[in-house]
Amino acid sequence: MIVHNCVQGTREWLNLRAGIPTASEFGRITSAHQIRVAIEKEKPVKLLEGAETYMNELLAERILHEPQTKAVTMWMQRGSEHEAEAVSYYELARGVDTEVVGFCTNDEGTIGASPDRLVGDDG
């Protein structure tokens, strides 16, 4: 895993995410249920209807070298406003320290995620 230390929501963060599937959008590709069924039946994972649209969005980002921006929802805003308090509570309740990160990718840089924090050696 590669940890990119940047501030979430900034231009740098948007550029790191551009053109690669991210955890927040994986639900547009497939579901956990579909993956389980495919594994049990030893068949390919079925893609959801929105997968082609998402693929086109990612291709556009790659071709144009320009990340698409998305609206900040009420729930995203609320999460940002209460994040510090939630982190303090979590750290106290679990007896751990957390590490702020901006964006994480696999070693190949082909998929990524923006966790709020990492905890311990294994994240």
Side-chain angles (χ1 to χ4, degrees), residues 17-113:
R17 296 167 46 92
I20 64 170
T22 59
S24 59
E25 300 291 341
F26 286 165
R28 294 175 66 186
I29 300 169
T30 191
S31 70
H33 171 73
Q34 288 172 302
I35 293 170
R36 273 193 305 277
V37 169
I39 290 170
E40 288 169 5
K41 295 185 177 186
E42 297 181 10
K43 293 190 175 193
V45 175
K46 282 188 181 179
L47 296 180
L48 296 176
E49 247 179 68
E52 187 172 345
T53 301
Y54 184 42
M55 178 189 67
N56 290 333
E57 290 170 8
L58 294 174
L59 287 172
E61 287 180 339
R62 285 184 182 202
I63 292 167
L64 299 172
H65 303 287
E66 184 68 29
Q68 292 186 345
T69 56
K70 299 199 175 174
V72 175
T73 67
M74 174 185 74
W75 296 112
M76 292 165 63
Q77 182 64 36
R78 185 177 189 283
S80 294
E81 290 169 0
H82 295 278
E83 184 173 340
E85 181 182 356
V87 167
S88 293
Y89 175 80
Y90 179 87
E91 289 178 337
L92 181 63
R94 301 287 176 130
V96 296
D97 290 320
T98 62
E99 175 189 356
V100 176
V101 295
F103 190 62
C104 300
T105 61
N106 62 344
D107 290 338
E108 297 77 24
T110 56
I111 56 173

